[in-house]
Amino acid sequence: MPLALLALAIGAFGIGTTEFVIMGLLPEVAGDFGVSIPTAGWLVTGYALGVMAGAPIMTALGTRVSRKRMLMILMGLFIAGNLISAVAPVFGVMLVGRVVASLAHGAFFGIGAVVAAELVAPDKKAGAIAMMFTGLTVANVVGVPLGTIVGQSLGWRVTFAIVALLGVVGLVGIAKLVPEQPMREPVRLRRELAAFKNIQVLLANAMTVLGFGAVFAAITYIAPMMTEIGGFADTSVPWLLVLLGLGMVVGNLVGGRYADRHLMPMLYISLGALTLTLALFTVTAHSKPLAAISVFLIGALGFASVPSLQKRVLDHAQAAPTLASAVNIGAFNLGNALAAWLGGLTIAAGLGYTAPNWVGAALAASALALAVLAAALERRGVATTLVTGQPDQVLVHS
């Protein structure tokens, strides 16, 4: 694999750390600013909304900039946002910092996925995308737990300062290792938007919302679920999150390897098994060993679909992949927000802490149904017309 993928993975590691580490530091941040935990929770919600809005906006703004330069600009934005958070004198300023950092998230992964795919041979594209996303998954295993420990012992501001430093390392790596990829022709926003006339691109984005949302329906409430239902001590929760992160790493790498050769079967298997695992989690959550296994499987099966979904978007938006790829990253966060909200409704309705698992199972099953529909349309040669005026190429994956 090219060294440039390492630079992209480092950037992904920093972004993944800053996205999730705040969840473990909410009490410290809320205490320092004198706000309630629900109010501090806006640092999570604001970030997710920023990713959703930033993905298409930042990609559109960068349509006339080389992809390498845009990645460097995005890392600069990420660094600035985390520095603002680190020195914020009041809560409102920190919220601004979180939003500023989040604006880089979707476009970085979207553009980075396109760059990663172009660095390797056609039969290794999904593996290259998975390699970049490994930075995000490793962040959940290493970055988030260490960032939480540092924040609890040395102060949360130190954590965000370190994350900003990671951004500097990623920026330098991109500048030194990522080659310039001259555009074959000027990128036009109208051409990028035209990719969304393709039903397969829309279906892939919908699968992303539902499939990854299924994971977040469960893990958003994993702490109360494991302590209240599973009987785990509060101190065990970070280790369960590490187990979840390990599952994400394994699933991402396995999914990337097999998506290059068997994309649709990989989606069927991962989404089908995720549906079953989440449904069973309502029962296995009551047993410590089975709950731990379930947590690992949810992470693995959830991320096994990520390279397949991202590659599928690139496959069906070949004439204008950049915006479509970035929007698909925003779709992950839309799924996160939707699933967390729906899961919260079930708990508020008095259905118990395991109820969100049923929400997750329903979302995963819906994503699987869309995958079957997409494949059926492909087999029948159903496609839309792109801006070129030619039928979209139908790619059948065995």
Side-chain angles (χ1 to χ4, degrees):
M1 286 289 182
L3 281 176
L5 291 177
L6 176 61
L8 294 174
I10 292 172
F13 178 85
I15 291 174
T17 299
T18 203
E19 179 180 16
F20 294 109
V21 75
I22 187 63
M23 298 177 186
L25 297 175
L26 279 184
E28 287 75 16
V29 174
D32 278 2
F33 287 127
V35 299
S36 66
I37 291 292
T39 298
W42 275 100
L43 298 173
V44 178
T45 304
Y47 189 95
L49 294 176
V51 174
M52 291 167 55
I57 292 173
M58 297 306 299
T59 303
L61 291 175
T63 52
R64 295 189 178 274
V65 180
S66 72
R67 287 170 182 153
K68 175 177 179 175
R69 181 170 297 182
M70 193 60 196
L71 286 172
M72 294 173 64
I73 292 171
L74 292 169
M75 286 310 300
L77 196 63
F78 169 80
I79 293 165
N82 281 284
L83 286 177
I84 291 172
S85 294
V87 301
V90 295
F91 178 77
V93 174
M94 185 177 185
L95 182 57
V96 169
R98 291 286 292 167
V99 173
V100 169
S102 72
L103 293 176
H105 185 126
F108 180 87
F109 281 106
I111 296 172
V114 176
V115 171
E118 292 184 355
L119 288 171
V120 298
D123 62 341
K124 297 183 182 299
K125 287 180 182 288
I129 295 170
M131 182 62 68
M132 184 191 72
F133 274 88
T134 296
L136 177 63
T137 56
V138 171
N140 286 279
V141 180
V142 179
V144 173
L146 286 180
T148 301
I149 293 171
V150 169
Q152 291 174 341
S153 57
L154 300 179
W156 58 267
R157 295 180 187 275
V158 177
T159 295
F160 284 97
I162 292 174
V163 171
L165 182 60
L166 283 173
V168 173
V169 175
L171 174 59
V172 173
I174 291 170
K176 297 292 186 181
L177 299 176
V178 175
E180 285 285 358
Q181 296 176 332
M183 293 192 266
R184 298 172 185 172
E185 58 181 290
V187 178
R188 294 181 175 87
L189 181 57
R190 181 178 297 179
R191 185 179 179 85
E192 292 285 335
L193 289 172
F196 293 95
K197 294 179 181 179
N198 186 329
I199 187 64
Q200 293 291 351
V201 172
L202 297 178
L203 285 172
N205 276 271
M207 281 185 270
T208 297
V209 171
L210 297 171
F212 203 68
V215 175
F216 259 71
I219 69 171
T220 297
Y221 305 99
I222 193 171
M225 191 190 309
M226 293 295 90
T227 55
E228 298 294 328
I229 304 299
F232 285 93
D234 291 341
T235 53
S236 298
V237 173
W239 295 108
L240 288 169
L241 293 176
V242 170
L243 194 60
L244 175 73
L246 287 172
M248 291 178 178
V249 172
V250 173
N252 181 57
L253 293 176
V254 172
R257 178 179 179 182
Y258 287 99
D260 276 318
R261 291 175 287 177
H262 310 289
L263 192 151
M264 292 310 294
M266 190 68 224
L267 277 179
Y268 297 151
I269 293 171
S270 59
L271 292 173
L274 180 62
T275 300
L276 181 61
T277 300
L278 285 167
L280 290 176
F281 197 27
T282 58
V283 176
T284 59
H286 295 267
S287 164
K288 287 183 180 180
L290 294 179
I293 294 172
S294 297
V295 167
F296 176 86
L297 288 176
I298 289 170
L301 295 170
F303 260 79
S305 66
V306 171
S308 295
L309 290 170
Q310 197 70 11
K311 184 174 184 291
R312 189 163 178 82
V313 169
L314 295 179
D315 282 348
H316 289 283
Q318 290 183 34
T322 309
L323 183 60
S325 178
V327 168
N328 196 47
I329 301 300
F332 283 106
N333 282 267
L334 175 59
N336 298 351
L338 174 66
W341 175 65
L342 291 174
L345 289 180
T346 64
I347 294 174
L351 300 179
Y353 285 120
T354 60
N357 297 328
W358 287 116
V359 173
L363 292 174
S366 300
L368 177 60
L370 288 182
V372 173
L373 173 62
L377 292 176
E378 233 175 9
R379 285 193 298 271
R380 296 181 182 182
V382 176
T384 58
T385 300
L386 296 176
V387 292
T388 59
Q390 299 298 322
D392 178 31
Q393 181 180 4
V394 178
L395 302 177
V396 180
H397 300 272
S398 60

